[in-house]
Amino acid sequence: MKKQITILGTGNFAQSIGKMLANTDSKVVFASRNPKETEAKISATIKNAEVQSYEAAIPPASIVLIALPWYKNTALDILKEYAPLLKDKIVIDSTNALNEDFSPALRGASHSAAEAIQKVIPSAKVVKAFNTIFGASINPQNIAQVNTVLSVFYCGDDANANGEVGKLISEIGWKGIESGPLSNSIFMENMVNMGIYLAFVKGLGPNNYFGFKPY
């Protein structure tokens, strides 16, 4: 039986990462407030993906991936609501603490979005991953080119959860770099702030990737 990955959210990034996960051996399910309204959009672009309610999509999942916006407390409010369903689950946090205009929401803060999420769902095993990737620049068609430069950083406090996320990254075909405890997620989130500046202020565009090559 295939393991299930449930993606919380159906926006652009959720769909981009969903396309990549659909190429693994996992069953991909999107959680939506209005599954009937979003099912056609998802099924038209992602092979064999399903859209279900949060109540139906979370319990069977082996891994839950958060792909919800941070602004207006969207991610935190939804996680608070469904916290009991996330108990003991591996939860991948791909969010970035950004305002609606993409400016940093936690500028100068001593904690990260991932650490705030862990406090909201304390019984879950939160792993920060995929947040340093621009959704517009990942798809199965350019994966060979992406793989030459892309590094997927991930960090968390549970060794087993980190290991499972590392395996998932490898299944997609990407190079994962285990990056320590969840407290290091603040560095990963700050990378994105710099990436947004380079992409949109300096005009380099979103089709760029963070890479790390050990020597």
Side-chain angles (χ1 to χ4, degrees), residues 5-40:
I5 300 174
T6 292
I7 300 173
L8 306 186
T10 58
N12 291 335
F13 182 80
Q15 291 184 57
S16 294
I17 196 68
K19 288 177 184 177
M20 305 307 300
L21 292 171
N23 289 327
T24 70
D25 291 330
S26 299
K27 176 183 178 181
V28 178
V29 176
F30 289 83
S32 171
R33 294 282 199 191
N34 302 293
K36 290 184 178 180
E37 294 179 12
T38 54
E39 187 172 16

Side-chain angles (χ1 to χ4, degrees), residues 34 46 51 55 69 80 109 120 130 136 143 145 147 163 167 173 179 184:
N34 302 293
I46 304 175
V51 184
E55 293 85 352
K80 286 177 185 176
V120 169
F130 300 121
I143 190 169
Q145 176 187 357
N147 283 355
K167 290 177 187 177
S179 304
N184 283 351

Side-chain angles (χ1 to χ4, degrees), residues 180-203:
L182 195 65
S183 58
N184 283 351
S185 59
I186 194 168
F187 306 129
M188 292 167 57
E189 292 177 22
N190 283 330
M191 288 168 64
V192 174
N193 295 333
M194 178 57 71
I196 289 171
Y197 177 83
L198 294 173
F200 301 108
V201 178
K202 297 292 288 184

Side-chain angles (χ1 to χ4, degrees), residues 94-155:
S94 70
T95 69
N96 287 296
L98 300 172
N99 296 312
E100 199 163 1
D101 63 357
F102 296 102
S103 62
L106 297 176
R107 188 186 296 275
S110 59
H111 64 279
S112 63
E115 290 169 293
I117 284 171
Q118 181 69 88
K119 289 181 180 179
V120 169
I121 49 173
S123 61
K125 303 166 186 176
V126 176
V127 179
K128 190 78 181 184
F130 300 121
N131 73 298
T132 57
I133 304 170
F134 284 110
S137 47
I138 57 171
N139 60 70
Q141 285 69 45
N142 70 353
I143 190 169
Q145 176 187 357
V146 172
N147 283 355
T148 63
V149 290
L150 175 69
S151 297
V152 182
F153 304 91
Y154 63 101
C155 65

